[in-house]
Amino acid sequence: QVQLVESGGGSVQAGGSLRLSCAASGHTYNSYCMGWFRQAPGKEREGVARIYTGSPYYADSVKGRFTISQDNAKNTLYLQMNNLKPEDTAMYFCAAQGFGAPLATMGGCAFSSWGQGTQVAVSS
């Protein structure tokens, strides 16, 4: 199993930036694909970005504003979010491919391990 712990959420004004981090531990060698999802109140969870063998994938809504990256030496996944908009307000979850039944897919990857989430709030 992979354990994932997110950090870096907070409250910012529109146009601001935040960087989310996700520290992975456990059987990380099985987690070939990692990604970020978000869920706003009353809305379904949606995929934001994922990275697989260094290749990123982004949802259309965040292209050009968000950047996903990873530091394999630190087993940490990042999401740099620039030019934030009020519609980016949501709980952001780190996810990883691994053992177990997948709960969501994005960009050709199936994700079965999830963190607890970190809240992002963007005010206008």
Side-chain angles (χ1 to χ4, degrees):
Q1 274 288 41
V2 177
Q3 291 78 46
L4 304 169
V5 179
E6 303 96 333
S7 61
S11 298
V12 296
Q13 290 190 327
S17 298
L18 284 173
R19 188 176 82 153
L20 306 183
S21 298
C22 172
S25 60
H27 292 177
T28 55
Y29 57 84
N30 289 314
S31 301
Y32 301 113
C33 196
M34 297 190 72
W36 292 95
F37 288 77
R38 66 186 181 187
Q39 187 166 19
K43 294 188 176 181
E44 293 188 355
R45 175 174 47 197
E46 65 171 336
V48 175
R50 71 98 175 106
I51 189 164
Y52 175 63
T53 60
S55 177
Y57 166 92
Y58 299 98
D60 288 342
S61 58
V62 305
K63 279 181 182 177
R65 300 188 299 122
F66 290 12
T67 302
I68 189 171
S69 62
Q70 62 187 148
D71 185 333
N72 291 326
K74 296 181 179 179
N75 281 338
T76 301
L77 180 74
Y78 302 100
L79 185 68
Q80 177 67 43
M81 305 186 295
N82 298 329
N83 190 21
L84 282 160
K85 303 176 180 180
E87 51 264 42
D88 295 318
T89 295
M91 184 73 79
Y92 283 71
F93 298 91
C94 175
Q97 178 187 25
F99 296 123
L103 298 179
T105 61
M106 175 177 43
C109 291
F111 296 90
S112 56
S113 296
W114 298 81
Q116 294 299 307
T118 185
Q119 181 68 44
V120 171
V122 185
S123 58
S124 58

